[in-house]
Amino acid sequence: MNFYLYLDKKTPIHRLDPRTKLFLLISSFIVATIQQHPIFALIVAMPIFAHGVLSGSLRNIRRIIGLLVAIGILAALLWSIQAKGVTPLFWKFQVEPLLYGISTGIKIDSMIVAGIIFLSTTKNEEVAIGLVKLGLPYSFSFAFCTALRLAPTIMGTARMVAQAQKSRGLDLQGGGLLSRMKKYIPLLVPIFLTTLRYTNQLSMALESKGFRAMEKRTFLLEARFKARDYWITLGLLLVLALVIFIRIKGYGEIEGLLL
Amino acid sequence: MKDVISMWKYTKMVVLVAVTAAVYAGTAIPFKGIQIVPGFAELRPAGAIPVVFGLLFGPAGAWGSCIGNVIADFFGTLGIGSLPGAVGNFFFGFVGYKVWGNMGWLSSKADLNIRTKRQVFEYILVAVLSSVTVAFIIAWGLELLKLLPFASIGAVIMTNNLLFSIAIGPFLLLLLYPRAVKWGLYWREIIDNEMVSRAIMPRVGALCIWVGALGGLIMGFLLSTGLYHGQLFHFAKGTTGSGVVLGVLPFLLLFFLGCLLS
Amino acid sequence: MAKALQVRNLSFQYKGTDKKVLNSFNFDVEKGELLAIMGPSGAGKTTLISTLNGLIPHLIDGKLEGEVIVDGWNTKEHETRDFATKVGMVFQDFETQLFSTNVALEVAFGPENLALSPGEILRRVRESLRSVGLEGFDEREPATLSGGEKQRLVIASVLAMESNLLCLDEPTSELDPMGKDDIFAIARRLKESKSITMIMVEHNIEEVLGADRIILLKGGKIIAMAPPKTILREVDLLRETGIRPIPITELFVRCRSKYLPLTLREGLESFRKEGWGIDEARYLSLIERDSLRASRYGRVLIEVRGLEYVYEGGLAALKGIDLQIREGEFVAIVGQNGSGKTTLIKHFNGLLVPTKGEVRIEGVDVRQTDILQLAGKIGFVFQNPDHQIFAEKVIDEVSFGPRNFGFPEKGIAERVDRALAAVDLLDSTEADPFSLTKAERQRLAVASVLASAPKVIVLDEPTTGMDYQESIKMMELVQELNKRGHTIVMVTHTMWVVSHYAHRVIVMKDGKMIRDGKTRQILSDLDGLREASLKPQQMVEFGRALGDFAFLSLEECRKCLVP
């Protein structure tokens, strides 16, 4: 079973400097969240989706399309119940909360998609180099990208443990709140202990391969800001400035929405 | 607080950071779906991890919670709000091992093999403090960034994290601590003693942490609900007002002072 | 000539324990030598390896006495990371040594730590990958490789450090037979082409024939150190040290021959020299016994029809399986990794639900029932016991299942006692499960299934990581359970285990069953084995070379042998 998202392709997005990709991700998040109106949310969702197409990440997005739809609809429903508006639609529903709900659904989906694209186009090692180039110490960057790498592995371990304990009759459903919480103990403990063993083995393997033997290490992958990185960064800055400007001017709000 | 820097010299501690972060993210991500439901008291077992791993792995647990939270955010909710999230989760894992054994007569003067009533009591205190800490830091940060009102988000974060920490934390420690010690992974045995910060005033530090965190959260709630009519748990967006940010600030500073002293 | 390695009065004791794991070791290793280290679990093999690059004492706490000198450096005086260019370490569990996004970056990790230039790193990546036959794999993701390829990648990543001493700790114990062969071929090539000194911990006896010397360890002491030709003939000594002797050698030792062979060819020669023969009538009685056993099976317990299974990502793991398993059978399922064995057995207790076709347990479609009800009928022992062990005490671990199934509290203690007695862990009732050895933990996993008294026991790779004696103990336990009426379904790579214990063998390849029949028939079907990339058993091959005999063990051969 493959839990890793990275797709080995040679698209222009893959070839960007990791810092640019990180900036792309963060910009996507900011742009996606800043406006209230679903029209704006949709407008923002489109370039994010285009980014996905351009970077060949559709395969990973398709894998979770059902989840995205479910999350979108659920979020739209729940957030529209929470808010209040002024224009009645039918029965207890009002226009503004519904718009707000739809926009929130789109925003949450956009953010998830942006995250998936980043992980589909960026190797863990690139994340590490990116962080080092941004001035963070290598040990920290290594821990960060190893964690990124390990998280899906641990989800895999969790699945195995769940299978093993279910085979021994563990039933997560049913029971009161406290007893249901306690049922996580037979699940969590083997996951943790397996991981702790791994800690010792990985530490030994790392030391044996000269981890931190030198003051500074080198990298096989190069990370250099090239012309296209500058252009994209510049473009993103302009987009961000524009979006923030529009927001400050008061556009993109749903009038009459009460939170 | 020197240990949070000096620990990076130890390969095992670096790996423990990665492992804590991965476990935290790996057990939080499957529950992400629930988080998009506004105000829902998101019940995720991951909530117990920073407290337990902080006690076991010390600074590696703190860094791991911080990084793990950022990684979990990669799957959906990364944004400006991840910044207070990262800081809050760092201290979520940090305060536990700092105050353990440093709370005077409240401390059990025993190890992490939670068996006696006094140990359970000390653990519950630590779990409460940790949950209060993460709640007041994140709530303050989100209020400062004008993203979410202090009262609602603070209450939600605190209860979510506290429930699992208290319900299963003591059992986890009972099952994990002896084995961590046996496998040479208890943090005090990894880090050379002279490397561990000779805490300047550990008890005063612990007191400052308690007063800062608890005071900060209570002050935030009072200001947010009283001054601006916000509601605990009630879900809303935006801000309740700069009064909350200013009112909580002194407690935040006291809290940081406490961290430096311990 | 300078020594590659000098070990002087080496002793070691882990922190918090009261026994020395290594007890005054003294030996030297010459440059270019291939040294094999063998011994039972717990003999100190891994501990010894860990002293060679300073993991002991720098990363692992304990009391170290004596000296280890590698290429002139004392391990006490230099950190482990400084030995990175002197000693290459390949650990047993390859999964934990792979942490990069692709193959090239995995190999580059070490040289990057040495701060070499990108050009030099690339050269080393290329050369190391060539040495292990992974050229062109640069961009592959390690997780998508087979077990054998993963271990080869680990070796490449260590070779890239260009150290002159390479230590391998049971590099093949988790691999299927073909994967094992690849690793040994690489080891031989490295020894010949690069004159690298190698120290290899190994269980597999046939494979250490190429070593220059073997060190036998037991209880933290060196009990023998000699060339393989000498040691491999010491059959009793090998058995004592938890090593499975070469069957052909053992056969001739047991028959008191003076011509002790080490290979099949030598065996045939010795057989001729001794002037022995095979009694056909006795052989036929073996076959009759097989048939008699098969006629005693009861009703059908597991029935699979047209079973197909496709994983979420679209991978078709099972492509049409039809089979029946009757009460009292002992079935082994064999095949390469990825052939669908584990996917198949996970259908038996409802962990997986068929994409197409059906699985019936005692006539009930698994879709109509749930895992909790099935778990009472089908006990499942997973490959890795550590994926389920959580309790503080052995007794709690074993009671977990029966409690979940809601058995009356009064009967549980008795069930637990009986289960623990069956796996010989009654003395450890109050112990911490993690103070047990790997083999004991695996038996504990069996006990925790046994306590619910299921009709069928399904075991996934029950002997992985065990030495010979432990494997025998495990399999005798399984055999005993079978005799007491439990139906056994077992997935395994260990062909001698299949040969000695299973009644019936199912061979899988690419999601299909390519053979299904009595053990004797399947194991002597050399084409079928080859098709599934499985190696024939030496005794079967021996019998085939002598006539149309298929011996499943050397005891069978001995019974039919007429001097």
Side-chain angles (χ1 to χ4, degrees), chain B residues 57-245:
Chain B
F57 308 138
W63 283 112
S65 311
C66 163
I67 292 177
N69 193 64
V70 173
I71 289 176
D73 278 359
F74 263 52
F75 290 81
T77 42
L78 191 70
I80 295 298
S82 298
L83 211 65
V87 176
N89 273 282
F90 176 87
F91 287 102
F92 192 9
F94 177 83
V95 292
Y97 78 89
K98 284 297 175 192
V99 301
W100 185 271
N102 282 326
M103 296 186 288
W105 55 270
L106 292 171
S107 284
S108 62
K109 313 275 183 299
D111 63 12
L112 296 167
N113 214 342
I114 310 285
R115 287 183 189 279
T116 65
K117 284 198 180 117
R118 285 192 61 107
Q119 282 168 300
V120 173
F121 177 68
E122 184 170 17
Y123 174 80
I124 289 175
L125 283 181
V126 163
V128 169
L129 176 64
S130 304
S131 309
V132 165
T133 299
V134 63
F136 108 97
I137 293 179
I138 296 183
W140 184 83
L142 292 177
E143 181 77 65
L144 179 73
L145 295 168
K146 298 193 192 309
L147 288 172
L148 291 167
F150 192 103
S152 53
I153 192 65
V156 167
I157 295 178
M158 199 193 86
T159 36
N160 287 354
N161 288 317
L162 191 59
L163 276 176
F164 257 102
S165 307
I166 289 189
I168 63 172
F171 300 97
L172 291 180
L173 272 177
L174 184 69
L175 294 169
L176 295 175
Y177 173 72
R179 288 143 186 189
V181 168
K182 192 172 148 197
W183 295 338
L185 292 171
Y186 180 48
W187 74 283
R188 284 185 178 278
E189 311 206 359
I190 300 174
I191 290 190
D192 299 333
N193 261 331
E194 60 267 33
M195 283 292 208
V196 182
S197 60
R198 293 250 166 262
I200 309 165
M201 286 182 269
R203 290 210 176 172
V204 179
L207 187 68
C208 292
I209 291 176
W210 263 107
V211 175
L214 203 58
L217 191 71
I218 291 170
M219 178 59 86
F221 281 162
L222 287 178
L223 289 173
S224 193
T225 53
L227 203 55
Y228 299 96
H229 312 293
Q231 285 175 323
L232 296 181
F233 294 104
H234 176 266
F235 199 77
K237 253 198 149 173
T239 171
T240 42
S242 51
V244 178
V245 174

Side-chain angles (χ1 to χ4, degrees), chain A:
Chain A
M1 187 110 331
N2 198 346
F3 292 98
Y4 305 110
L5 288 173
Y6 179 73
L7 297 171
D8 186 36
K9 295 189 175 175
K10 301 269 182 280
T11 72
I13 307 286
H14 280 75
R15 281 196 287 264
L16 291 174
D17 185 283
R19 283 164 289 181
T20 313
K21 292 185 219 177
L22 202 59
F23 190 44
L24 251 169
L25 173 71
I26 292 168
S27 309
S28 303
F29 278 124
I30 295 173
V31 170
T33 43
I34 206 163
Q35 312 289 5
Q36 229 173 33
H37 203 280
I39 302 285
F40 280 88
L42 254 175
I43 294 174
V44 169
M46 278 188 288
I48 293 179
F49 188 72
H51 179 198
V53 175
L54 209 64
S55 61
S57 316
L58 283 186
R59 204 177 91 197
N60 280 337
I61 297 171
R62 221 178 292 131
R63 266 168 62 173
I64 55 154
I65 195 81
L67 188 68
L68 286 177
V69 171
I71 289 177
I73 292 173
L74 195 66
L77 278 176
L78 288 162
W79 287 73
S80 51
I81 292 168
Q82 283 285 330
K84 289 179 183 61
V86 287
T87 322
L89 191 60
F90 63 88
W91 190 42
K92 281 184 178 173
F93 286 90
Q94 291 164 318
V95 178
E96 292 84 7
L98 194 65
L99 286 177
Y100 180 62
I102 293 170
S103 133
T104 311
I106 298 173
K107 283 177 188 175
I108 290 179
D109 276 353
S110 299
M111 289 195 288
I112 295 176
V113 168
I116 301 264
I117 296 173
F118 177 75
L119 294 175
S120 305
T121 55
T122 319
K123 295 188 185 93
N124 286 323
E125 290 80 359
E126 289 181 84
V127 178
I129 300 175
L131 295 177
V132 168
K133 294 254 170 172
L134 288 172
L136 290 164
Y138 175 67
S139 291
F140 181 89
S141 314
F142 176 83
F144 187 92
C145 85
T146 303
L148 205 54
R149 171 81 187 171
L150 274 180
T153 311
I154 283 169
M155 292 197 244
T157 309
R159 184 179 291 201
M160 310 251 257
V161 172
Q163 286 191 345
Q165 305 302 41
K166 270 192 211 158
S167 302
R168 295 165 79 198
L170 178 69
D171 181 12
L172 280 180
Q173 315 299 323
L177 183 66
L178 191 67
S179 78
R180 220 173 336 159
M181 287 201 280
K182 280 195 178 153
K183 282 178 180 169
Y184 278 98
I185 294 171
L187 283 184
L188 292 175
V189 170
I191 299 174
F192 294 165
L193 291 176
T194 308
T195 323
L196 289 194
R197 283 187 176 228
Y198 174 87
T199 303
N200 269 333
Q201 290 166 344
L202 180 59
S203 310
M204 290 196 274
L206 289 176
E207 287 265 327
S208 303
K209 284 187 194 167
F211 180 64
R212 296 174 39 250
M214 300 284 168
E215 275 295 300
K216 263 188 123 145
R217 83 196 298 267
T218 50
F219 294 93
L220 176 60
L221 293 173
E222 56 169 352
R224 217 176 328 123
F225 244 60
K226 302 198 187 83
R228 56 169 172 260
D229 293 297
Y230 285 109
W231 284 116
I232 289 177
T233 307
L234 188 67
L236 284 175
L237 285 172
L238 287 176
V239 170
L240 284 180
L242 182 71
V243 171
I244 292 167
F245 177 75
I246 293 174
R247 180 85 181 103
I248 292 170
K249 279 281 169 189
Y251 295 102
E253 286 193 29
I254 303 170
E255 270 175 55
L257 179 73
L258 296 167
L259 289 169

Side-chain angles (χ1 to χ4, degrees), chain C residues 433-444:
Chain C
F434 281 95
S435 66
L436 305 179
T437 65
K438 170 88 194 285
E440 287 169 336
R441 293 205 299 279
Q442 187 62 276
R443 295 211 304 275
L444 172 60

Side-chain angles (χ1 to χ4, degrees), chain C residues 533-545:
Chain C
S533 309
L534 297 168
K535 286 211 307 193
Q537 286 296 288
Q538 200 176 35
M539 277 298 117
V540 173
E541 284 189 293
F542 187 59
R544 295 293 294 254

